[in-house]
Amino acid sequence: MTYNKRQIGTEKEKLAGAYLEKNGYEIIEYNFRCRQGEIDIIAKDGEYIVFCEVKYRSSSKSGTPLEAVDYKKQRVISRCAFFYITRKHWEYLPCRFDAISVTDSEIQVVKNAFDYIE
């Protein structure tokens, strides 16, 4: 069976979601899309609403998964998060941005991987 990038991405996002749930997060939504872009996973961790970017790499040829969460990507996620929070009227809730690195051998979560970017 041949996989396309979207299928692989969805598979790895579900894997990351299961990992988060095992570690106490509650998944709210996968693949939230709006005009500004997309957020892979939106979850709750304690009092925090967490916006998660999942990056998968099968090898380190093109860098580590976390290196792919660059400034431009952070800005897109920040804008989507602002839209989401505003739409849900959750402005009063604390939020953070986590990056999740998925490789064939491990899953790594970086809490508070970046700050909100306007």
Side-chain angles (χ1 to χ4, degrees):
M1 175 190 275
T2 55
Y3 282 98
N4 66 35
K5 280 186 172 188
R6 184 66 244 155
Q7 287 172 312
I8 293 169
T10 298
E11 180 184 296
K12 301 307 178 185
E13 286 163 6
K14 296 291 184 198
L15 194 64
Y19 181 87
L20 291 175
E21 287 180 321
K22 202 172 79 180
N23 286 281
Y25 289 62
E26 176 191 332
I27 304 300
I28 297 171
E29 193 168 337
Y30 284 96
N31 303 113
F32 171 75
R33 287 181 177 83
C34 64
R35 223 181 43 182
Q36 288 79 4
E38 179 189 1
I39 297 174
D40 294 330
I41 298 173
I42 300 172
K44 198 164 185 324
D45 181 28
E47 64 180 326
Y48 286 89
I49 298 299
V50 186
F51 298 96
C52 304
E53 176 65 12
V54 178
K55 285 295 179 190
Y56 167 73
R57 293 288 182 267
S58 57
S59 75
S60 57
K61 276 188 287 188
S62 52
T64 69
L66 295 176
E67 287 172 338
V69 186
D70 59 10
Y71 179 84
K72 185 178 173 189
K73 187 61 152 167
Q74 292 172 20
R75 203 161 137 225
V76 167
I77 295 165
S78 293
R79 287 177 173 173
C80 290
F82 181 80
F83 178 83
Y84 187 84
I85 285 172
T86 304
R87 193 177 86 178
K88 293 279 190 179
H89 305 290
W90 288 353
E91 295 90 349
Y92 60 93
L93 293 174
C95 71
R96 71 169 194 254
F97 299 94
D98 290 3
I100 304 166
S101 164
V102 180
T103 64
D104 291 331
S105 60
E106 72 172 342
I107 296 174
Q108 176 188 5
V109 177
V110 178
K111 292 183 178 188
N112 253 338
F114 59 91
D115 292 323
Y116 175 81
I117 298 170
E118 283 192 43

